Amino acid sequence: MAAGPTQLTTEVDGQTMKLTNLGKVLYPKTGFTKAEVIDYYHQIAPLLLPHLSDRPLTRKRWPDGTDAAYFFEKNAPRGTPAWVRTVTLPTPGSSTGRDEADFVVADDIQTVVWLANLAALELHVPQWRIGDSDQGKEPRADLIVFDLDPGPGVTIVDCADVALALRELLNHFGLEGWPKTSGNKGMHLYVPIEPAASRATSAFAKLLAEQLAEALPENVTANMTKALRPGKVFIDWSQNNSAKTTLAPYSLRGADEPRVSTPIDWDEVAAASDPAELTFLPHEVLARVEEYGDVLEGLYDDPRPLPS
């Protein structure tokens, strides 16, 4: 097959864009190129955008591929086009010592493609939207997230079992959980709620995690101490802190393979018996969307009040 152009000026949804270094291999162990990254993000953008829109975006970038150095980026980089939306927000406790940052907000396909061209493989967002939070006040979350992280000796299949138990507990409170793979070894469970203070959602998530750990002490821990994790699934409730972020649905992961954080349905969770069944590459995700549509469609349609 003849090599394609290394750069290209094209129009994306009405916006002229210059795409560069298209032949660069960003996943060396599989040969997955920057052009393929951009193509995936361009195709998946309509399903990705509802989870990015109006949320300040933290990017994890691998400009020289996943076997080289990466960096997290909150501030809009130098040269950000004028048509990319940015918003200045406080960053308390920032490791850079800055009190605020100019965050990129991805509200359109052009911005998603621009980010892919920057080798921003991972897209991380908080559980709150800018429109639900008054600047200078505590953010109000519209999601609760549980990060199910398998310790040594357990797999995503064990996470699936814990997710089913957590679903039952959520139903007891009149809440619904929506699962996805983390794109790594674990799972994430989203719970849509009416906007509530992040401090309250974090406390509620911690309470449920601790209740499940108490009910299933051989299988689950809600304690962050790594020495307690072997043989168990750690339910990380801390990502509900307003300063924390979670990998967005349909985002790529920076790893040996271009794995995707993939929404799955509860039948798939219940049937899982092999980690390979819950590992998805870009072409597989696009095929799933073609066949099944968006598994997370409706996530934000029926938010419930946070239980008091």
Side-chain angles (χ1 to χ4, degrees), residues 27 29-30 66 183 252-260 279 281-282:
Y27 291 85
K29 293 196 175 180
T30 63
T66 58
L252 286 168
R253 199 92 208 206
D256 290 344
E257 296 179 299
R259 295 190 297 269
V260 177
T279 302
L281 299 175

Side-chain angles (χ1 to χ4, degrees), residues 128-145:
W128 50 271
R129 295 183 190 271
I130 297 163
D132 290 330
S133 304
D134 295 329
Q135 191 163 346
K137 295 184 178 180
E138 182 181 8
R140 292 166 53 79
D142 65 343
L143 289 173
I144 299 171
V145 66

Side-chain angles (χ1 to χ4, degrees), residues 145-149 205 209 221-222 224 229 234-240 244:
V145 66
F146 296 92
D147 181 0
L148 309 183
D149 186 8
T221 179
M224 294 185 183
R229 297 190 197 179
F234 168 48
I235 302 180
D236 186 355
W237 46 268
S238 71
Q239 291 182 30
N240 297 284
K244 297 286 188 71

Side-chain angles (χ1 to χ4, degrees), residues 155-157 181 257 259 272-281 284:
T155 70
I156 192 172
V157 174
T181 70
E257 296 179 299
R259 295 190 297 269
S273 60
D274 187 315
E277 297 169 354
L278 297 178
T279 302
F280 303 98
L281 299 175
E284 294 169 319

Side-chain angles (χ1 to χ4, degrees), residues 21-89:
N21 299 318
L22 295 174
K24 178 179 284 189
V25 174
L26 293 184
Y27 291 85
K29 293 196 175 180
T30 63
F32 202 75
T33 65
K34 186 176 174 184
E36 291 173 296
V37 167
I38 293 172
D39 180 64
Y40 167 72
Y41 270 124
H42 183 240
Q43 291 192 65
I44 206 64
L47 280 70
L48 170 65
L49 282 168
H51 311 291
L52 302 182
S53 181
D54 213 29
R55 300 185 194 270
L57 186 62
T58 297
R59 291 86 60 200
K60 195 173 180 181
R61 293 175 55 183
W62 279 263
D64 295 311
T66 58
D67 64 348
Y70 66 83
F71 60 94
F72 280 97
E73 184 176 61
K74 293 182 182 293
N75 217 44
R78 184 178 303 174
T80 297
W83 48 263
V84 171
R85 180 186 173 195
T86 61
V87 61
T88 302
L89 294 170

